[in-house]
Amino acid sequence: MVILPTGLEERGDVRRETDPRSAGTLFQLIRDGRPRTRADLAAVTGFARPTVAARIDELLGSGLIVPAGEASSTGGRPPATFAFNPGARIILAADLGVSHGRLAITDLASTVLSERSLEIAIADGPEVVLDAVTTALCDMVEELGRPVSDVAGVGIGLPGPVEHRLGRAISPPIMPGWDGFDVPGHVARTLPTPVLVDNDVNIMALGEHAARWQDVKDLVFIKIATGIGAGIISDGELRRGALGAAGDLGHIAVPRGRQIPCRCGNVGCLEALASGLAVVESLRAQGVDIQRTAQIVDLVRSGNITASQTVRQAGRDIGDVVAGCVNLLNPSVIVIGGIVSEVGEHLLAGIREVVYSRSLPLATQHLRIVASQTEGRAGVLGASQMVSQQVLSAPAIDQLLVKS
Amino acid sequence: MVILPTGLEERGDVRRETDPRSAGTLFQLIRDGRPRTRADLAAVTGFARPTVAARIDELLGSGLIVPAGEASSTGGRPPATFAFNPGARIILAADLGVSHGRLAITDLASTVLSERSLEIAIADGPEVVLDAVTTALCDMVEELGRPVSDVAGVGIGLPGPVEHRLGRAISPPIMPGWDGFDVPGHVARTLPTPVLVDNDVNIMALGEHAARWQDVKDLVFIKIATGIGAGIISDGELRRGALGAAGDLGHIAVPRGRQIPCRCGNVGCLEALASGLAVVESLRAQGVDIQRTAQIVDLVRSGNITASQTVRQAGRDIGDVVAGCVNLLNPSVIVIGGIVSEVGEHLLAGIREVVYSRSLPLATQHLRIVASQTEGRAGVLGASQMVSQQVLSAPAIDQLLVKS
């Protein structure tokens, strides 16, 4: 029955969260990008003017805010305004797949400053892979001409279930050696900053949401690549479930698949019918010469009818599961991403066909089913976003200023 | 990219939410039931001692807190402590079904003080039904010997989709005349207090969660009665989806049902196979003499094998859909409620059989699938909870004290 305001659960935290003198609280107000005067901030927070002035000086000292010119005045000397300075620090982001990694450096507002691709083999295990990633990231920081001390944090997406709180992969099916490995601990040996880890699809949902759908509160991001998975945003926040395993669309049974075996050991899973791997296998069985998932996109684009039809059927199978998601979660936007989604309308058409025939009218009346609009960057944008959410939170800012 | 603390979106709100002198903030701390001294409260909040003293006096005046004896002291006069007084006001709760309503009066901690059943016909339309409900509730208030001015708010659950923010049913399939009807406006003519409305399954999830599973953050409540629906708690809060339509399990397709027509106009929906209505029809087709959903429970309890087998198969069909929920949401608890759930283990066994064979090991390793433990009261408990969450929130308390 007891509902306390966020962060008030524990006596030790209460003081920091509600401390009216907190620089972190002022920073959250300045962070929206609108320049504010000291008087604005005092009025909005109810803090005393001298308190505001002292905290503004601390924040200016940290570089996190900068003078943003003068406000208009009705007479006398116009007051100075202050604004968030996203360039003060940098965030390192890595979106790791089975055989490929995408790396980026962003500023604190998740604007990409530098990007790089990296061939990896996730099966080489965490030490080999993470060392390659940190080496490449450090290279990029140097290329950018920034000192390593400018790094505010590192965000990493992994292609398997992750216990986000601890930053460890848990029972990942395709990542030998990673189960329970302390990713933040290992990375922080080279980059001694906060290191945050999540499942790749979760960070893609976060990235797409922050970059293109900030006004939408309920969004599901579905990644269709070698496998199939989803990241769920409800009421504006990523929902990970009890063990971080939420969004596992790929192993929901679909009607067409009753007897088809899946690599998970079950039969009839969506992945066994409609993942990139399943489409490649189906095309091969139909006599098409194809090796890798990425080639599906080339075949469809070049007008191969067998490929288009197979992709459309995969879309319908995905639609069967997405229809259930729509009834269950009532999102306003479903974003389809991942390499296979680059085939474009054939896949979306198959998905829409089933969702609009299977979901309830109320749940679909304003529903949009769209392709990802972040050009493959959803993962790195989300990894950056995950870090900025943490390192720019009010308690983190307070801690930063206490230390400095 | 901008993330402000809750409630800081708009300048007008900021002042109230963060005002350090707020009585609402102090009240949230006292509300956990632990007696606190003025000094405790000053230390925890960082507020000045005279501010705390003045706000405590206001809260004592409202009756929402009461003196709770003296704290132990290391010398000198022991300081007075204060505690939440849930008996200060009452909440009226109504859980309305198609043909039956359950009414309750609770205190501010959702303890039931008085209960009543009410035969209704939801199809009589909102005015007839709501007038019968308010008349009965006013009767109950009088019986309890409380003045109507003690009513803090009214919570109502309706058997269809509800736009919670406005308190209106939206396109409810089995509620003629209710579409868009202003429920709070109508009820407040008789009971001029806050009136909150939600879907019946949402409030059941809220009630079961608050009464039995407060420590669990991710819970799905599934109601199996004439129809089938779910209420979803993620990260501790009810998730309603973009239009309040989340949790509509009943119209997700199940493998066994491909050609069976559903009352929604589609085919193969879970409801068409496994709802109370579907089980009754199936039993009749097998020559069993049965009229109403409630009789299923009697038949199974009396050892009717046909009924037990049919219920178990319904459980398996429900399990098919629940397995998808588990993969998608990764809850730690699934509660099965509604009249059909009273058959007990036959239904649960069918559900568990499929969920544990179909869901991923990671998602099921700590999963509990249990029967509702609130003896049919989940709805009224949740309706009460919905009201107390709102009327005891910090801004509502501040407003209350300003008015008085």
Side-chain angles (χ1 to χ4, degrees), chain A residues 255 320 323-324 327 357-361, chain B residues 226-228 248-279 281 314 317-318 320-321:
Chain A
D320 268 314
N327 283 0
S357 81
R358 272 284 1 151
S359 297
L360 293 168
Chain B
T226 307
I228 298 177
D248 209 326
L249 283 191
H251 301 282
I252 294 179
V254 285
R256 199 170 68 88
R258 292 311 271 173
Q259 298 314 320
I260 301 173
C262 180
R263 58 181 174 163
C264 75
N266 231 318
V267 295
C269 300
L270 177 61
E271 268 197 19
L273 271 90
S275 66
L277 207 59
V279 170
E281 279 170 11
D317 294 327
I318 294 164
D320 267 314
V321 170

Side-chain angles (χ1 to χ4, degrees), chain B residues 105 116 125 301 331:
Chain B
I105 299 181
R116 194 184 279 192
R301 285 198 183 146

Side-chain angles (χ1 to χ4, degrees), chain A residues 1 4 28 214 267 358, chain B residues 1 4 28 214 267 330 358:
Chain A
M1 302 297 170
L4 289 173
Q28 299 313 311
Q214 273 195 55
V267 295
R358 272 284 1 151
Chain B
M1 303 298 169
L4 288 171
Q28 300 313 312
Q214 273 194 57
V267 295
N330 183 209
R358 271 290 351 156

Side-chain angles (χ1 to χ4, degrees), chain A residues 23-33 36 59 389 392-395 397, chain B residues 2-5 8:
Chain A
T25 302
L26 286 180
F27 177 71
Q28 299 313 311
L29 289 170
I30 300 173
R31 203 176 148 195
D32 69 3
R36 312 244 191 181
L59 287 166
Q389 280 184 3
L392 299 183
S393 67
I397 295 291
Chain B
V2 180
I3 296 100
L4 288 171
L8 290 187

Side-chain angles (χ1 to χ4, degrees), chain A residues 1-6 8-9 11 14-15 18-21 25 27-34 36 39-40 42-47 108-111 161 170-171 210-211 214 218 230 232 234-235 237-249 251-253 255 258 264 266-270 320 323-332 357-360 362-366 381 385 388-389 394, chain B residues 1-6 8-9 11 14-16 18-21 25 27-34 36 39-40 42-47 108-111 161 170-171 210-211 214 218 230 232 234-235 237-249 251-253 255 258 264 266-269 320 323-332 357-360 362-366 381 385 388-389 394:
Chain A
M1 302 297 170
V2 181
I3 296 99
L4 289 173
T6 318
L8 291 185
E9 286 78 17
R11 193 169 156 155
V14 170
R15 172 105 204 180
T18 60
D19 187 336
R21 290 143 299 187
T25 302
F27 177 71
Q28 299 313 311
L29 289 170
I30 300 173
R31 203 176 148 195
D32 69 3
R34 190 153 42 114
R36 312 244 191 181
D40 281 345
V44 169
T45 57
F47 297 175
L108 294 173
S110 296
T111 302
I170 30 174
S171 319
Q214 273 195 55
D218 301 275
I232 299 166
S234 286
D235 288 331
E237 302 264 343
L238 190 61
R239 304 297 163 193
R240 296 182 170 93
L243 291 167
D248 209 324
L249 285 191
H251 301 281
I252 294 179
R258 292 312 269 174
C264 75
N266 230 314
V267 295
C269 300
L270 177 61
D320 268 314
C325 293
V326 168
N327 283 0
L328 199 61
L329 298 170
N330 183 208
S332 36
S357 81
R358 272 284 1 151
S359 297
L360 293 168
L362 178 61
T364 55
Q365 65 182 350
H366 300 301
L381 291 176
Q385 185 68 20
S388 69
Q389 280 184 3
Chain B
M1 303 298 169
V2 180
I3 296 100
L4 288 171
T6 316
L8 290 187
E9 285 79 15
R11 193 167 156 158
V14 170
R15 172 105 203 180
R16 193 192 308 140
T18 60
D19 188 335
R21 289 145 298 187
T25 303
F27 177 71
Q28 300 313 312
L29 289 171
I30 299 173
R31 204 177 148 194
D32 69 3
R34 187 151 44 112
R36 311 245 193 179
D40 280 345
V44 169
T45 59
F47 297 174
L108 294 174
S110 296
T111 302
I170 29 173
S171 319
Q214 273 194 57
D218 300 274
I232 299 166
S234 286
D235 288 331
E237 302 264 343
L238 190 61
R239 305 296 164 193
R240 297 182 170 92
L243 291 167
D248 209 326
L249 283 191
H251 301 282
I252 294 179
R258 292 311 271 173
C264 75
N266 231 318
V267 295
C269 300
D320 267 314
C325 292
V326 169
N327 283 0
L328 199 60
L329 297 170
N330 183 209
S332 36
S357 80
R358 271 290 351 156
S359 297
L360 294 167
L362 178 61
T364 54
Q365 68 182 351
H366 299 302
L381 291 176
Q385 186 68 19
S388 70
Q389 280 185 3

Side-chain angles (χ1 to χ4, degrees), chain A residues 5, chain B residues 16-17 22-28 31 389-400:
Chain B
R16 193 192 308 140
E17 292 279 334
S22 147
T25 303
L26 285 180
F27 177 71
Q28 300 313 312
R31 204 177 148 194
Q389 280 185 3
Q390 167 144 334
V391 303
L392 299 182
S393 67
I397 294 293
D398 285 341
Q399 246 176 350
L400 181 87

Side-chain angles (χ1 to χ4, degrees), chain B residues 29-370:
Chain B
L29 289 171
I30 299 173
R31 204 177 148 194
D32 69 3
R34 187 151 44 112
R36 311 245 193 179
T37 65
R38 291 188 184 85
D40 280 345
L41 292 165
V44 169
T45 59
F47 297 174
R49 294 290 290 269
T51 307
V52 171
R55 297 301 165 258
I56 288 293
D57 287 346
E58 285 178 13
L59 287 167
L60 285 168
S62 74
L64 286 169
I65 67 168
V66 285
E70 290 170 345
S72 61
S73 167
T74 50
R77 188 161 66 94
T81 66
F82 305 95
F84 174 39
N85 174 26
R89 309 286 292 275
I90 53 176
I91 292 172
L92 310 186
D95 174 19
L96 306 183
V98 172
S99 61
H100 184 88
R102 186 156 188 157
L103 311 180
I105 299 181
T106 75
D107 68 9
L108 294 174
S110 296
T111 302
V112 174
L113 306 175
S114 159
E115 273 184 295
R116 194 184 279 192
S117 272
L118 190 69
E119 296 310 306
I120 55 166
I122 205 86
D124 286 345
E127 289 171 337
V128 172
V129 172
L130 294 173
D131 288 348
V133 168
T134 50
T135 302
L137 286 171
C138 289
D139 262 15
M140 292 166 69
V141 173
E142 204 179 315
E143 267 179 28
L144 204 65
R146 304 281 296 239
V148 175
S149 60
D150 270 8
V151 177
V154 183
I156 300 175
L158 295 178
V162 169
E163 190 165 3
H164 173 66
R165 199 173 45 84
L166 296 176
R168 299 177 183 207
I170 29 173
S171 319
I174 50 166
M175 299 172 64
W178 288 79
D179 190 17
F181 185 82
D182 178 12
V183 175
H186 189 81
V187 172
R189 286 201 270 167
T190 315
L191 291 157
T193 61
V195 179
L196 298 172
V197 188
D198 205 343
N199 169 265
D200 57 351
V201 195
N202 280 348
I203 61 166
M204 289 170 99
L206 213 51
E208 192 84 15
H209 182 247
R212 292 287 178 278
W213 301 99
Q214 273 194 57
D215 296 339
V216 162
K217 288 190 173 298
D218 300 274
L219 173 148
V220 177
F221 186 101
I222 300 174
K223 177 186 178 182
I224 305 163
T226 307
I228 298 177
I232 299 166
I233 308 263
S234 286
D235 288 331
E237 302 264 343
L238 190 61
R239 305 296 164 193
R240 297 182 170 92
L243 291 167
D248 209 326
L249 283 191
H251 301 282
I252 294 179
V254 285
R256 199 170 68 88
R258 292 311 271 173
Q259 298 314 320
I260 301 173
C262 180
R263 58 181 174 163
C264 75
N266 231 318
V267 295
C269 300
L270 177 61
E271 268 197 19
L273 271 90
S275 66
L277 207 59
V279 170
V280 167
E281 279 170 11
S282 164
L283 287 175
R284 263 196 228 144
Q286 294 172 81
V288 178
D289 178 27
I290 180 170
Q291 315 300 326
R292 290 173 303 106
T293 304
Q295 291 174 283
I296 300 168
V297 180
D298 304 331
L299 282 169
V300 171
R301 285 198 183 146
S302 71
N304 183 305
I305 304 280
T306 311
S308 304
Q309 286 174 336
T310 305
V311 161
R312 186 162 180 130
Q313 182 54 49
R316 290 191 198 105
D317 294 327
I318 294 164
D320 267 314
V321 170
V322 173
C325 292
V326 169
N327 283 0
L328 199 60
L329 297 170
N330 183 209
S332 36
V333 175
I334 291 186
V335 180
I336 309 295
I339 178 76
V340 178
S341 76
E342 292 175 21
V343 300
E345 286 303 317
H346 290 282
L347 184 73
L348 284 175
I351 296 173
R352 290 190 184 119
E353 181 184 323
V354 177
V355 170
Y356 288 106
S357 80
R358 271 290 351 156
S359 297
L360 294 167
L362 178 61
T364 54
Q365 68 182 351
H366 299 302
L367 176 69
R368 281 174 288 187
I369 300 176
V370 299

